[in-house]
């Protein structure tokens, strides 16, 4: 018994020393912020007992300002934790905030009940307190269980040490950034610390060649991430814990980068391919689905070298912000100098929508604005949405077996696709270009053919396009 206690004490001292030196290396990055946004470090003590996690969370380097506390949804018995006489002085009576004060270290405690107790292969998400407006620069996590509860803990942080003693099993993790989840497995896994930012927990040992390839991988930031071979009970992924069945280099590289991108940006309800597109440009590679690959290749071929560099720079400047197809379309429009809705249209379209530019000017037919008439630029051509525009000019339109039909009481057109002619009032006329062009399943009429065949006058200003008939239609 004395031996076990002494050994545990020595282990804590050794690990504590390692932590001290690590913390000193990163301490210059930890600064208390001013105003609403700030940074801080934290230390979390977790003890599993009686089918629950008893958590003590210590916040360090807090600024002298009011800070709102966000408790986990599952948390019960939220309270202060009196580590010293000052560590609860700033906690408000309702326990929803730290009030302004000079004490820069504050401590709280709470319980996370586990329905049915700790289950093997279980991922526990969003179980720690967060501070509104705060960025965690460094985290340390201690986990203790009774000696009869043994297994592998994973936090996403680098593992500093773990030890099984006669009375307790203990694990410690420490590293840059925040921590929001825990994973536990009843049997121990092989732990491979392949680099400063990647640890791999596998069922089988890794070959030396595979370890060498892992060390050559390049990622987007320095925050450590843990890869666990296989699935978990919920089939969910963590923020810094990824579950992969395939431990190939390509799979590891792609999934880690995607995880880092999702941590750096807020995508909300955006399609999954959008994060893949962003990741591909930031890494100058192609990552993800066939749709993401096609979008990346299309945009890359549309851009000059300077436009591509500008686009990537603007993506980098969006880190920490919410991203959507609309937001990125606005940036693309700025990069190209012409308006495009390429990403938004691909979000709403099941099939690939081609790259094109949109004319944002208001369209008038005669003296009246027509919101349903679209004007696009594609392959150097100016195209107008044929169905809506021609209906405003007094025609009926339809798609038939032999082409696109445009008719009124006295004028009848048929436009076969890709045959090099059109038919007007039963007479055939050869063409060197196509009057009607199909784009994403819709028919558009080219501007010069619109003027020639439908005798209209087109006047343009900075804000509008006006189309007037010059003869009886």
């Amino acid at each position: 018994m004395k031996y076990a206690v002494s050994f545990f004490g020595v282990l804590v001292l050794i690990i504590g020393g390692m932590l001290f030196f690590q913390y000193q290396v990163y301490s210059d990055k930890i600064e208390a912020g001013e105003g609403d946004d700030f940074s801080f470090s934290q230390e979390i003590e977790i003890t599993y007992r009686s089918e629950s996690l008893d958590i003590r969370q210590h916040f360090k380097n807090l600024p002298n300002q009011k800070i709102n506390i966000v408790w986990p949804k599952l948390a019960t018995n939220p309270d202060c934790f009196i580590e010293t006489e000052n560590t609860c002085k700033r906690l408000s009576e309702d326990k929803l905030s730290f009030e302004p004060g000079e004490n820069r270290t504050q401590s709280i405690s709470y319980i996370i009940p586990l329905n049915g107790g700790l289950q093997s292969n279980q991922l526990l998400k969003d179980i720690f307190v967060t501070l509104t407006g705060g960025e965690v620069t460094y985290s340390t996590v201690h986990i203790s269980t009774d000696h009869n509860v043994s297994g592998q803990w994973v936090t996403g942080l680098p593992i500093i040490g773990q030890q099984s003693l006669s009375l307790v099993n203990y694990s410690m993790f420490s590293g840059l950034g925040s921590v929001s989840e825990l994973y536990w497995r009843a049997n121990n896994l092989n732990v491979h610390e392949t680099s400063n930012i990647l640890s791999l927990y596998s069922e089988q040992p890794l070959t030396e060649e595979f370890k060498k390839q892992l060390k050559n991988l390049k990622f987007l930031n320095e925050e450590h991430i843990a890869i666990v071979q296989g699935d978990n009970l919920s089939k969910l992924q963590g923020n810094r814990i990824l579950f992969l069945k395939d431990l190939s280099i390509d799979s590891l590289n792609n999934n880690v980068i995607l995880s880092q991108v999702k941590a750096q940006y807020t995508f909300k309800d955006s399609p999954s391919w959008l994060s893949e597109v962003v990741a591909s440009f930031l890494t100058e590679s192609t990552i993800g689905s066939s749709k993401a690959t096609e979008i990346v290749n299309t945009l890359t071929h549309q851009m000059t070298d300077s436009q591509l560099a500008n686009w990537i720079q603007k993506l980098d400047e969006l880190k920490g912000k919410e991203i959507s197809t609309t937001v990125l379309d606005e940036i693309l429009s700025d990069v190209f100098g012409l308006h495009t809705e390429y990403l938004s249209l691909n979000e709403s379209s099941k099939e690939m929508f081609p790259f094109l530019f949109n004319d944002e000017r208001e369209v008038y037919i005669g003296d009246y604005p027509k919101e349903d008439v679209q004007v696009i630029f594609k392959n150097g051509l100016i195209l107008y949405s044929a169905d809506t525009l021609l209906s405003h000019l007094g025609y009926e339109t339809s798609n038939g077996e032999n082409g696109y039909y445009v008719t009124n009481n006295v004028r009848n057109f048929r436009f076969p696709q890709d045959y090099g002619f059109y038919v007007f009032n039963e007479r055939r006329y050869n063409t060197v270009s196509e009057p009607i062009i199909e784009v994403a399943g819709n028919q558009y009429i080219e501007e010069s053919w619109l003027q020639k065949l439908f005798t209209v006058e087109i006047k343009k200003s900075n804000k509008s396009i006006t189309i007037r008939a010059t003869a009886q239609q």
Side-chain angles (χ1 to χ4, degrees), residues 118-122 148-153 169 183-189:
L118 194 61
Q119 300 178 53
S120 181
N121 208 22
Q122 184 175 22
N148 61 340
V149 181
S150 61
Q152 183 71 59
W153 289 97
N169 293 316
Y183 170 75
W184 185 75
R185 190 151 170 176
N187 56 311
N188 287 333
L189 297 168

Side-chain angles (χ1 to χ4, degrees), residues 81-96:
F81 175 69
I82 303 177
E83 187 176 35
T84 70
E85 61 177 345
N86 295 319
T87 52
C88 284
K89 279 194 172 182
R90 293 179 57 180
L91 186 63
S92 63
E93 289 187 11
D94 60 8
K95 300 180 178 60
L96 295 179

